[in-house]
Every structure is written in structure tokens, then in C-alpha cells.
Amino acid sequence: MNRKLLSFLEEIKAQGNMSKAAEILFVTQPYISRVIKNAETQFGVRLIDRSSHPIQLTYAGERLLSYLQEENRLRSNLDREMTHLSEFKYGHLTIASNEVLDNGIFKPVLTQFYNKYPKIHAQLLKITSRDAENRLLSGSLDFFMGQPLHNNKIEYVPITDFPLVLIVPRQSSQFEEGTLWASYSNEKIEEMGGESFIGIPHDSNYQRMVNNFLTDHGISVEYSIEVPDIHLATALALKQLGAIITPKHLLSIEELDEETKQNINLIEIPSDTFTSNFGVSYVKTKQNSEPVSDLVDIVTNVVNDLK
């Protein structure tokens, strides 16, 4: 139960909402409530302050989370060492990616990984870079695929830079009739001030990066729509609900219908101007397990093959 309780408390603290926590962890909200309630009964204290909005952990909840994270860190270290000693016949890896990565990458990555390590249990998560850093340091996450994490305790291996594209809807003053791919210029970006943009949560490293880019061009953006992830935001931009800067690999250009192509412009941003860094991160230890090292190589090869 401790592993479930740890995941539930971490996600409730991060999201401030039990329903969002359930969605991210792929469980039902009543199930999270039941596990939390059972733990409150067991320890005789309230772990969640349900009267606050967003909901928060109580002091007892924070202390329990701290102990569970330390217990899990020790357990993860033990699992890694035992996995190494048993020639990797058994073990557990928790793997996460951020919102910029397409889910399609997991199929080739896991296929190659399980061909070599068929008995290692893997748990997959989709989380923000901020949450990834906290979980890596607490020991509840082994491997993160996404943007760089700047912490001297975390090893970051750069793999590639994803090109970025500005989607301009027909209603924009910068829309050019009769062309799908429009040319880039700093002046064109600067003229997007006051336009309707679609955004994702501002605690996302990707959204902060986009905001900084637009601010550097003198644009103070007010997002007319905010959605949970970049995939949905991109889909809405393709429906002309607003402008967005999105990774090029999320567009699936060949699948766009003619009506969509007639009502949007795509402006690829030069890589020396703005790009999205992608790599893998894991906690530095005296002896990183061979599965983690192999996973780095597999992700690198798969991503480079898809480019």
C-alpha cells in the first residue's frame, strides 16, 4: 500500500485536486479517496485538508509523505543493487515523460527494452518537468524523458532539439491567404501581440519557455484558452481556436485535411532562434544500473530514427 499511498499523496500535492491526480495516475477518484481514508483511519490523523481550494496536505500528510519518500528512496536503491547483483533478471523501473513527447515513442522504446529485460517491471507516467525533478530526488522516479532538469544531483543526457512551429489561424492579422507554410521573421512574431493564444498550465517548463520567447519579442500574451497538455492545445489550434507555438512532430502534416490547410499558416521557427531541448535525466549514483544505461541508448536511437 505504501507505494500507492506515496503516489497519491505526491500527485494530490502537485495538482491540488483529487480528480486531476486520479487522471494522471490512471485510477478513479473514489479509489484515491478510499486509500487516503484508510490511511487516515490507520494513523488516526487527517492527511488531506479538503476544505481548502486547491486541496492541500495537512502537516501530518506532509510528514507522512516525507517518510514515504525516504522509504521509497531506500527501497529503490535496494532494488537497483539487487537488480545489478541478479544480472537484471528482476527489478522495477519508473519511467516518465513530459507533455511535449508523443506517446508513440513508448512502443519502440519498450519493445527494445523488454527484448533485453523481459522480467523488469516498468511503470509509465506523464508528468511535468517540475514534478519529475522532485520525484527523481525522492527516489520515486528512475528515468525522465523531456526537457533539461537543472540540478547537480541529476544527470542529464541531451539527445536532440525539437523544431518548433507557430500555428497562425485565419482570424489572425498575420494570416497569409493561399499558403500553408509562411516565412518566419522577428517582425511577424512581434505583430502577434494582442492575438488570441492557446496555452497549457504555467507550471509547465515548456509553457514557461514559450512565454519567455514571446516576452523577448515584446509580446505580453493573454491566453484565451488553457488546456491540460500540448497535444490538445495543438489540436485546438488546428481548428483555428487560437495561435500556438508547438513542437513540429505533433502536427502530423500529412494527415491535415484541405479545409484545415486553407485556414491556418504554419511558421517554422529557426533552430538558432528558438527550439525545444530534449534528453533523458536520472539521478547520479556511484553505480547506475545497466538497464538505465541501456534505456538511455534505446531512447537516443529511437528518437534519432524518428527525426
Side-chain angles (χ1 to χ4, degrees):
M1 183 190 85
N2 283 356
R3 183 179 287 275
K4 288 190 179 71
L5 184 58
L6 169 60
S7 297
F8 294 169
L9 290 176
E10 282 185 328
E11 211 55 61
I12 289 170
K13 180 178 180 179
Q15 304 300 329
N17 183 290
M18 209 169 288
S19 295
K20 287 184 179 178
E23 181 181 346
I24 288 174
L25 294 171
F26 301 104
V27 297
T28 65
Q29 188 269 332
Y31 180 57
I32 290 186
S33 297
R34 186 165 64 253
V35 171
I36 297 293
K37 195 67 178 176
N38 289 342
E40 289 177 329
T41 300
Q42 177 186 348
F43 294 111
V45 292
R46 284 196 311 135
L47 301 175
I48 307 294
D49 182 0
R50 296 171 177 80
S51 65
S52 63
H53 299 284
I55 62 174
Q56 299 175 347
L57 301 187
T58 63
Y59 177 73
E62 293 280 2
R63 296 301 299 146
L64 177 59
L65 175 58
S66 178
Y67 279 115
L68 290 176
Q69 287 174 331
E70 177 65 14
E71 177 188 34
N72 196 67
R73 185 185 66 79
L74 294 173
R75 180 69 194 185
S76 296
N77 289 343
L78 174 63
D79 286 346
R80 289 189 188 98
E81 186 167 348
M82 292 302 102
T83 298
H84 186 79
L85 293 174
S86 65
E87 298 180 350
F88 320 117
K89 292 180 181 177
Y90 301 94
H92 174 87
L93 281 177
T94 302
I95 305 167
S97 69
N98 71 356
E99 61 276 1
V100 174
L101 193 62
D102 194 306
N103 285 336
I105 195 175
F106 283 117
K107 182 178 179 180
V109 166
L110 290 179
T111 299
Q112 294 183 38
F113 183 76
Y114 272 95
N115 283 337
K116 187 167 185 179
Y117 302 105
K119 293 185 178 179
I120 289 184
H121 174 265
Q123 179 185 18
L124 304 181
L125 300 173
K126 181 83 76 171
I127 59 178
T128 66
S129 300
R130 184 194 64 179
D131 290 341
E133 181 174 341
N134 293 334
R135 293 187 183 208
L136 284 168
L137 294 175
S138 73
S140 62
L141 180 64
D142 298 295
F143 192 87
F144 176 66
M145 298 182 283
Q147 292 169 296
L149 302 180
H150 303 291
N151 188 299
N152 58 14
K153 294 181 180 180
I154 295 175
E155 185 75 30
Y156 173 72
V157 180
I159 293 180
T160 191
D161 294 329
F162 287 136
L164 300 174
V165 171
L166 171 65
I167 300 177
V168 179
R170 172 174 287 276
Q171 61 268 29
S172 168
S173 62
Q174 298 304 302
F175 178 77
E176 297 181 22
E177 188 73 50
T179 183
L180 177 61
W181 290 96
S183 60
Y184 173 88
S185 70
N186 287 331
E187 292 76 14
K188 188 173 293 186
I189 299 295
E190 291 164 3
E191 290 298 322
M192 293 293 292
E195 300 278 358
S196 176
F197 273 78
I198 302 171
I200 60 177
H202 287 257
D203 61 354
S204 158
N205 278 7
Y206 178 79
Q207 187 62 63
R208 285 199 293 266
M209 180 181 70
V210 169
N211 291 345
N212 290 338
F213 171 76
L214 294 174
T215 299
D216 289 344
H217 284 76
I219 300 175
S220 179
V221 178
E222 292 187 8
Y223 291 94
S224 57
I225 304 175
E226 183 177 301
V227 296
D229 61 72
I230 190 66
H231 300 270
L232 177 57
T234 301
L236 295 178
L238 293 174
K239 294 296 184 182
Q240 303 96 55
L241 295 185
I244 192 174
I245 294 177
T246 187
K248 185 178 180 180
H249 66 272
L250 298 185
L251 289 176
S252 300
I253 305 297
E254 65 281 357
E255 298 178 8
L256 297 181
D257 58 46
E258 288 304 314
E259 182 180 357
T260 298
K261 292 179 181 179
Q262 292 171 10
N263 287 291
I264 61 169
N265 291 155
L266 302 178
I267 301 176
E268 185 164 354
I269 301 174
S271 59
D272 59 351
T273 300
F274 186 35
T275 190
S276 177
N277 307 120
F278 173 81
V280 296
S281 300
Y282 54 92
V283 173
K284 297 177 182 178
T285 62
K286 292 182 179 178
Q287 182 180 27
N288 284 108
S289 69
E290 187 174 322
V292 170
S293 299
D294 283 346
L295 193 52
V296 172
D297 292 338
I298 290 170
V299 172
T300 301
N301 293 334
V302 168
V303 170
N304 286 332
D305 285 346
L306 292 175
K307 287 175 66 177

